[in-house]
């Protein structure tokens, strides 16, 4: 797979750094932006139209779940992957219904997993 532009949305700088490093390991993938709030994610996503968004669930201000809903209302074909430290059984109920492509625990995020997502 080539030509995947990724927006990373997380309020934790260490996670953004790790996600950048993982994406650099994938040929043809690149980070095209980073945001720390749901509001900034909405602006960047609708302006830059990345191929994929890695969206943290818990963000200051607008949650990642609400940002996902709003982005998909404007760009229904955008691929958004929710990320968090939650176990699947502990996810907020609306994480399943917000339209995200997938949910990935931060600890499970790998280049192979990213490569396997339909983009």
């Amino acid at each position: 797979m080539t030509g995947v532009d990724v927006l990373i949305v997380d309020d934790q700088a260490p996670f953004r750094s790790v996600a950048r490093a993982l994406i650099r390991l994938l040929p043809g993938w690149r980070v095209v932006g980073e945001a720390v709030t749901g509001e900034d994610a909405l602006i960047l996503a609708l302006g830059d139209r990345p191929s994929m968004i890695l969206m943290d669930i818990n963000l200051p201000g607008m949650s990642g779940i609400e940002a996902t809903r709003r982005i998909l209302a404007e760009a229904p074909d955008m691929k958004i992957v929710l990320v968090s430290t939650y176990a699947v059984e502990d996810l907020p109920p609306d994480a399943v219904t917000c339209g995200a492509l997938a949910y990935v625990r931060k600890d499970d995020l790998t280049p192979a997993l990213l490569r396997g997502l339909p983009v």
Side-chain angles (χ1 to χ4, degrees), residues 64-84:
I65 293 169
E66 182 60 25
T68 296
R69 271 199 190 95
R70 291 187 187 190
I71 291 166
L72 292 174
E74 297 291 324
D77 294 334
M78 195 158 296
K79 307 298 185 204
I80 302 176
V81 177
L82 294 176
V83 294
S84 187

Side-chain angles (χ1 to χ4, degrees), residues 17-71:
S17 177
V18 167
R20 270 193 316 274
L22 289 173
I23 291 164
R24 279 192 209 116
L25 296 173
L26 296 167
W29 289 54
R30 68 185 181 126
V31 175
V32 294
E34 295 183 22
V36 298
T37 68
E39 292 84 359
D40 288 343
L42 187 61
I43 292 166
L44 290 173
L46 297 178
D48 296 341
R49 302 288 174 148
S51 309
M52 177 184 288
I53 302 172
L54 295 179
M55 178 82 72
D56 187 22
I57 290 177
N58 292 317
L59 297 169
M62 181 190 311
S63 75
I65 293 169
E66 182 60 25
T68 296
R69 271 199 190 95
R70 291 187 187 190
I71 291 166

